[in-house]
């Protein structure tokens, strides 16, 4: 079972796995049996068991589907889908089809579903395949669908005294291995209970606020800023003039029928989602900031999270709120903290140092709270030997954000251990709870205002020293905040769209494409791992084949050495294997790629009858576990599917196949041999064209 899931397997599921092992099934078979049948059980639970056995992957994938049954799901049905996605790791079509093939190899006596073969499984209905043999499994699936899953906890290991550890550090383009050791005293200090963290989640209740009360908070801020202006010499442009800003707000609450509530007393009621709409500069941001001040001043048991568009806005706003409530960034406990991504701290630090807000603070001699959270001191570097620091790190500090807080490994003692370095366990840095660069995590539990960005919510995790659950900042915000305010929500939505509907660049000629980066890493891994397990060998081979295919495709599309016909063809629109092969099947049947809009239903049915036998060849090819490794039979040359697989092998070996005469002749021979009317249709087409031209 993959350990990349957010939740643990249910206890009953794990117990049943052990029972099946004791009964004679291999663990992989037992796991697959329960996973596949849980996928079918989910379809039954959603009343979608009239779909084919190939359908569950579509639900597991999370792709939005406009199916009537999925438009009005209950809370329990949503839970069932979420639970199954955690337990069944087959959210891609080919992964699910591969799981079905392996499922069919399990003895029938163990299965609750009949035989269905790749030749008919697109039309084999889940309900028709059901043959309940093991009620205990059916009961297990129902509990898995309805239970509350427990969070998975990441594994951690503590360092030991007088043991040499190592970590990877990047110096320019080179990655070096740096050794480090710890004393007995340092190890003892590391066992001390770390800073307090969050024991329980918040219990939220409805909240109401008179808008007029915010004017009192605005007046309080003006008085505080007046005192700061005298202390640090602020000019008028630095002050917020919050009472004036508040009085420009024209707040109206809209009733369900579209009319406005009476103007005399406007009350903001928060229970679930609330939208505050307004034009640019209408005061929406002012309301959110005054609301956060109101929470800090009058509701000490509540926490509010403000989501802003970028990191520097988060740091600036946290600094502003803390100066309203605090006096000393070095010694006072902040009421507001910016929660930022850890691995990008270097970029945050550079942008912060160059920001206008920070430079103005320096000019007037006012400390900036951002310095508290962007410190670069790393105590672990003080443990390095002077020679290692000079020779391995070139006398330079580690890049902020790359510190080995939880990536220490034991130094290999032999060459054999070095070759197996990627399999070692990770250890935690013993200085974390006192580390200056981790100050934000010590401030978070008591801060009443969190300020973060959509990117941080979606992508950033939490240190293992404090949080063993593999959750993102977004989950923590949802768990620990009473209010979450999304400012400039259109930019926030774009962030989430780009994150959860990501466009993956395969190659862009630089270092941003997946295959621009992964190829280098694969080759570096291969240098020190020439002896690999079969699965790893196959993966590295597939990666190299993909690199070859990308190179061939881009070469074919190149203006100088490519093919003009192919460039024009690609411009016609996107294509997938299914759409491409369907168009090809229509051409082989003597039809146009698309039917005209005025085609009658009878003609459409006849055309479908013509192309169905052809489409079966392509379906059989795509349903193969691995088309490049198809088993030959006694009459393989007469099998169109096997011949297609052999063509794929030749194309895969050749790379740039469009200009290869042998492959062209093999493709032409396949068409003529298995579709004998093609020559006659082409001859008739030539006659028709000549008649038109004359």
């Amino acid at each position: 079972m993959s350990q990349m899931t957010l939740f643990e397997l249910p206890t009953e599921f794990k117990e049943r796995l052990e029972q099946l092992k004791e009964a004679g099934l291999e663990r992989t078979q037992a796991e697959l049996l329960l996973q596949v049948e849980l996928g079918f059980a989910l379809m039954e639970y959603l009343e979608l068991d009239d779909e084919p056995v190939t359908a569950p992957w579509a639900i597991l994938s999370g792709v939005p589907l406009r199916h009537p049954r999925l438009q009005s799901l209950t809370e329990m049905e949503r839970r069932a889908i979420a639970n199954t996605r955690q337990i069944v790791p087959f959210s891609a079509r080919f992964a699910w089809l591969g799981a079905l093939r392996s499922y069919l190899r399990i003895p029938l006596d163990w299965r609750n579903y009949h035989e269905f073969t790749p030749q008919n499984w697109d039309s084999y209905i889940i309900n028709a395949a059901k043959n309940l043999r093991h009620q205990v499994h059916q009961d297990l699936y129902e509990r898995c669908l309805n239970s509350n899953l427990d969070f998975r906890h990441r594994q951690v290991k503590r360092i030991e005294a007088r043991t040499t550890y190592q970590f990877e550090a990047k110096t320019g383009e080179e990655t070096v291995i740096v050794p480090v050791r710890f004393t007995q005293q340092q190890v003892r200090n590391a066992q001390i209970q770390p800073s307090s963290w969050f024991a329980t989640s918040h219990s939220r209740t409805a909240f109401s606020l008179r808008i007029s009360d915010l004017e009192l908070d605005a007046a309080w801020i003006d008085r505080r800023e007046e005192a700061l202006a005298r202390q640090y010499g602020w000019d008028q442009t630095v002050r917020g003039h919050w009472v004036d800003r508040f009085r420009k707000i024209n707040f109206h609450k809209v009733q369900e029928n579209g009319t406005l509530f009476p103007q005399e007393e406007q009350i903001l009621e928060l229970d679930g989602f609330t939208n505050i709409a307004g034009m640019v500069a209408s005061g929406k941001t002012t309301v959110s900031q005054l609301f956060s001040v109101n929470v800090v001043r009058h509701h000490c048991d509540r926490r509010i999270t403000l989501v802003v568009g970028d990191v520097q806005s988060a740091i600036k706003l946290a600094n502003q709120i803390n100066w309203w409530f605090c006096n000393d960034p070095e010694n006072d406990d902040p009421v507001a903290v910016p929660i930022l991504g850890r691995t990008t701290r270097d970029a945050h630090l550079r942008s912060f140092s160059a920001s206008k807000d920070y430079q103005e603070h320096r000019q007037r001699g006012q400390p900036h709270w951002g310095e508290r959270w962007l410190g670069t001191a790393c105590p672990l570097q003080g443990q390095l030997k002077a020679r290692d620091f000079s020779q391995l790190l070139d006398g330079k500090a580690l890049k902020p954000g790359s510190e080995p807080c939880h990536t220490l490994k034991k130094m290999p003692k032999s060459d054999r251990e070095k070759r197996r370095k990627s399999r070692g366990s990770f250890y935690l840095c013993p200085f974390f709870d006192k580390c200056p660069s981790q100050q934000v995590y010590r401030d978070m539990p008591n801060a009443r205002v969190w300020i973060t960005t959509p990117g941080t919510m979606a992508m950033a995790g939490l240190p293992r020293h404090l949080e063993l659950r593999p959750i993102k900042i977004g989950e923590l915000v949802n768990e620990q905040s009473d209010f979450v305010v999304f400012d400039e929500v259109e930019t926030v939505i774009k962030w989430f769209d780009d994150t959860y509907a990501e466009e993956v660049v395969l190659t862009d000629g630089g270092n941003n494409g997946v295959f621009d980066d992964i190829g280098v890493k694969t080759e570096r891994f291969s240098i020190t791992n020439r002896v690999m397990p079969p699965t790893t060998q196959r993966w590295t081979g597939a990666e190299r084949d993909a690199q070859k295919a990308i190179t061939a495709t881009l070469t074919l599309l190149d203006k100088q050495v490519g093919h003009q016909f192919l460039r024009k063809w690609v411009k016609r629109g996107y294509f997938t294997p299914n759409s491409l092969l369907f168009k090809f099947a229509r051409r082989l049947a003597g039809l146009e790629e698309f039917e005209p809009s005025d085609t009658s239903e009878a003609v459409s049915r006849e055309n479908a009858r013509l192309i169905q036998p052809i489409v079966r060849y392509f379906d059989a090819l795509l349903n193969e576990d691995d088309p490049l490794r198809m088993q030959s039979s006694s009459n393989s040359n007469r099998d169109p599917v096997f011949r297609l697989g052999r063509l794929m092998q030749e194309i895969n070996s050749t790379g740039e196949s469009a200009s290869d005469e042998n492959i062209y002749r093999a493709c032409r021979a396949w068409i003529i041999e298995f579709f004998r009317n093609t020559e006659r249709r082409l001859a008739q087409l030539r006659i028709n064209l000549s008649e038109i031209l004359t």
Side-chain angles (χ1 to χ4, degrees):
M1 172 64 69
S2 170
Q3 289 302 305
M4 298 303 290
T5 55
L6 188 59
F7 296 94
E8 290 280 6
L9 288 174
T11 303
E12 303 98 316
F13 192 97
K14 291 187 282 190
E15 289 174 350
R16 186 56 184 161
L17 281 178
E18 294 303 318
Q19 292 168 3
L20 291 173
K21 270 182 62 180
E22 293 172 1
L25 270 182
E26 295 180 6
R27 180 176 180 83
T28 54
Q29 284 188 317
E31 200 168 65
L32 190 82
L33 171 73
L34 300 183
Q35 288 169 341
V36 170
E37 292 191 354
L38 179 59
F40 290 147
L42 173 67
M43 301 297 282
E44 295 164 2
Y45 190 82
L46 300 176
E47 298 180 11
L48 292 172
D49 53 340
D50 55 349
E51 296 287 341
V53 295
T54 54
W57 75 269
I59 304 296
L60 298 176
S61 69
V63 175
L65 300 172
R66 296 187 63 83
H67 191 289
R69 276 293 297 125
L70 300 176
Q71 303 307 307
S72 56
L73 295 172
T74 66
E75 182 179 347
M76 291 307 297
E77 287 171 335
R78 293 181 186 277
R79 178 186 297 280
I81 293 174
N83 286 1
T84 308
R85 286 174 179 167
Q86 289 291 310
I87 301 171
V88 182
F90 306 124
S91 57
R93 176 174 179 261
F94 289 108
W96 177 256
L97 296 183
L100 289 183
R101 291 188 188 89
S102 300
Y103 175 78
L104 293 175
R105 299 189 194 106
I106 299 173
L108 188 60
D109 291 345
W110 288 107
R111 307 197 319 249
N112 278 346
Y113 294 84
H114 278 307
E115 296 285 354
F116 42 85
T117 63
Q119 287 70 36
N120 73 348
W121 59 20
D122 279 324
S123 57
Y124 209 101
I125 304 304
I126 295 172
N127 184 271
K130 185 75 173 285
N131 182 22
L132 188 60
R133 292 185 179 87
H134 300 278
Q135 183 63 46
V136 64
H137 288 171
Q138 192 67 26
D139 296 340
L140 170 64
Y141 304 144
E142 291 179 9
R143 289 195 296 273
C144 289
L145 295 175
N146 293 302
S147 63
N148 288 323
L149 301 184
D150 295 326
F151 277 102
R152 177 176 63 85
H153 283 189
R154 296 173 290 184
Q155 299 298 313
V156 296
K157 288 196 173 185
R158 304 286 178 178
I159 52 96
E160 301 169 356
R162 293 184 291 276
T163 299
T164 303
Y165 297 87
Q166 67 178 32
F167 62 90
E168 292 185 354
K170 219 173 179 184
T171 57
E173 294 298 319
E174 185 182 4
T175 299
V176 297
I177 303 297
V178 183
V180 62
R181 289 171 65 91
F182 303 96
T183 66
Q184 187 66 50
Q185 182 61 44
Q186 290 165 342
V187 172
R188 280 198 297 269
N189 291 343
Q191 306 306 318
I192 297 175
Q193 184 69 24
S195 305
S196 60
W197 195 240
F198 304 100
T200 58
S201 58
H202 270 46
S203 177
R204 299 185 185 90
T205 56
F207 182 85
S208 62
L209 171 72
R210 288 195 301 270
I211 296 298
S212 58
D213 288 348
L214 296 181
E215 185 171 8
L216 300 176
D217 297 308
W220 180 87
I221 298 174
D222 280 342
R223 290 194 297 273
R224 176 60 181 160
E225 288 193 347
E226 180 65 30
L228 290 170
R230 290 193 299 269
Q231 182 178 359
Y232 292 106
W234 289 11
D235 56 36
Q236 289 296 320
T237 59
V238 177
R239 302 179 195 179
H241 305 287
W242 290 91
V243 171
D244 293 340
R245 289 169 63 176
F246 173 80
R247 289 173 178 171
K248 293 177 182 178
I249 296 172
N250 191 6
F251 182 89
H252 293 279
K253 186 175 179 181
V254 181
Q255 302 183 87
E256 290 185 3
N257 61 4
T259 62
L260 301 180
F261 274 93
Q263 182 66 24
E264 60 268 11
E265 187 62 64
Q266 294 289 354
I267 297 179
L268 178 62
E269 295 179 347
L270 301 176
D271 187 9
F273 287 94
T274 301
N275 296 302
I276 300 180
M279 297 175 62
V280 175
S282 60
K284 301 185 298 295
T285 299
T286 299
V287 169
S288 70
Q289 293 179 5
L290 290 176
F291 179 38
S292 66
V293 171
N294 185 275
V295 169
V296 175
R297 293 184 68 205
H298 307 296
H299 306 280
C300 60
D301 59 333
R302 306 259 188 168
R303 173 177 289 116
I304 181 172
T305 296
L306 305 177
V307 184
V308 297
D310 62 89
V311 167
Q312 294 311 311
S313 296
I315 297 174
K316 180 179 179 180
L317 183 55
N319 173 72
Q320 183 181 41
I321 293 175
N322 281 321
W323 274 118
W324 292 339
F325 289 93
C326 308
N327 295 300
D328 185 355
E330 189 170 338
N331 297 306
D332 289 353
D333 291 330
V335 299
V337 296
I339 307 176
L340 314 172
R342 290 179 294 157
T343 58
T344 51
R345 285 181 64 246
D346 184 54
H348 302 335
L349 182 60
R350 292 174 185 274
S351 299
F352 169 69
S353 300
S355 68
K356 179 182 177 182
D357 186 49
Y358 179 61
Q359 294 300 328
E360 288 177 349
H361 275 66
R362 291 188 62 187
Q363 288 171 9
R364 59 178 179 255
Q366 181 181 6
H368 198 294
W369 283 80
E371 295 174 330
R372 177 185 180 98
W373 305 301
L374 292 174
T376 60
C378 174
L380 185 140
Q381 292 186 69
Q383 290 297 112
L384 304 182
K385 294 180 179 179
R387 183 186 59 186
D388 292 335
F389 181 72
S390 174
Q391 295 180 358
L392 297 177
L393 298 180
D394 298 329
K396 299 178 182 178
L398 294 174
K399 181 180 177 181
S402 67
E403 299 91 345
C405 303
H406 63 272
T407 57
L408 292 172
K409 283 186 171 184
K410 282 189 176 180
M411 177 74 79
K413 297 179 181 179
S414 64
D415 291 339
R416 183 179 180 183
E417 287 186 8
K418 287 181 181 179
R419 288 193 293 269
R420 301 176 61 193
K421 63 181 179 180
S422 61
R423 305 177 192 177
S425 300
F426 289 110
Y427 294 79
L428 301 182
C429 173
F431 305 128
F432 184 89
D433 62 325
K434 297 292 190 295
C435 181
S437 66
Q438 309 299 336
Q439 181 63 44
V440 67
Y441 299 109
R442 293 191 286 277
D443 292 339
M444 279 177 63
N446 296 321
R448 309 316 301 167
V449 182
W450 289 353
I451 307 167
T452 189
T453 67
T456 301
M457 288 182 68
M459 304 300 293
L462 289 157
R464 299 188 184 194
H465 301 71
L466 303 174
E467 182 59 75
L468 293 179
R469 298 174 299 172
I471 61 175
K472 301 297 184 185
I473 294 295
E475 275 100 23
L476 186 71
V477 167
N478 177 65
E479 180 184 86
Q480 298 292 335
S481 298
D482 297 280
F483 315 103
V484 181
V485 179
F486 294 91
D487 195 15
E488 303 294 347
V489 72
E490 65 278 3
T491 61
V492 172
I493 290 175
K494 184 181 184 305
W495 251 104
F496 286 139
D497 285 346
D498 292 342
T499 300
Y500 296 114
E502 183 182 8
E503 180 182 275
V504 179
V505 177
L506 297 183
T507 181
D508 65 354
N511 296 318
N512 297 318
V514 172
F515 282 95
D516 301 330
D517 179 57
I518 202 172
V520 176
K521 291 181 177 177
T522 301
E523 296 309 319
R524 283 179 179 167
F525 172 83
S526 300
I527 291 173
T528 55
N529 296 271
R530 291 300 182 189
V531 179
M532 306 180 194
T535 52
T536 306
Q537 288 186 43
R538 189 172 181 204
W539 189 94
T540 56
E543 185 273 329
R544 288 164 181 153
D545 286 342
Q547 296 276 16
K548 187 164 57 176
I550 290 173
T551 300
T553 303
L554 294 179
T555 302
L556 291 171
L557 297 175
D558 185 76
K559 291 182 179 180
Q560 280 73 40
V561 297
H563 292 257
Q564 185 178 5
F565 177 81
L566 184 60
R567 290 201 303 275
K568 290 182 178 178
W569 180 66
V570 170
K571 285 182 181 178
R572 291 166 56 186
Y574 76 93
F575 56 87
T576 65
N578 285 326
S579 65
L580 190 61
L581 293 174
F582 181 77
K583 294 175 186 177
F584 185 37
R586 288 184 61 86
R587 289 294 193 185
L588 290 174
L591 305 171
E592 296 182 41
E593 289 185 359
F594 298 101
E595 288 185 347
S597 57
D598 57 353
T599 304
S600 67
E601 186 175 343
V603 172
S604 292
R605 284 199 300 268
E606 177 60 22
N607 291 344
R609 186 189 65 80
L610 290 174
I611 66 172
Q612 193 60 42
I614 306 171
V615 170
R616 285 201 191 102
Y617 296 155
F618 301 134
D619 283 344
L621 180 71
L622 294 177
N623 285 335
E624 280 289 334
D625 190 18
D626 186 347
L628 299 181
R629 302 176 64 186
M630 291 178 62
Q631 296 292 326
S632 61
S633 62
S634 58
N635 198 17
S636 296
N637 285 333
R638 300 298 304 160
D639 181 354
V641 179
F642 180 82
R643 288 272 294 276
L644 281 174
R646 195 163 65 185
L647 274 171
M648 289 181 65
Q649 286 181 328
E650 293 177 12
I651 292 171
N652 184 60
S653 300
T654 304
E656 202 283 274
S657 57
S659 59
D660 189 281
E661 283 295 325
N662 292 330
I663 290 178
Y664 168 77
R665 284 195 293 269
C667 291
R668 190 174 187 277
W670 185 87
I671 295 172
I672 293 173
E673 184 172 344
F674 295 106
F675 302 94
R676 299 185 182 279
N677 290 332
T678 301
E679 289 280 32
R680 179 180 58 77
R681 290 196 183 102
L682 289 174
Q684 184 61 47
L685 181 60
R686 293 189 191 97
I687 294 172
N688 295 342
L689 287 173
S690 63
E691 290 175 352
I692 293 173
L693 294 174
T694 56

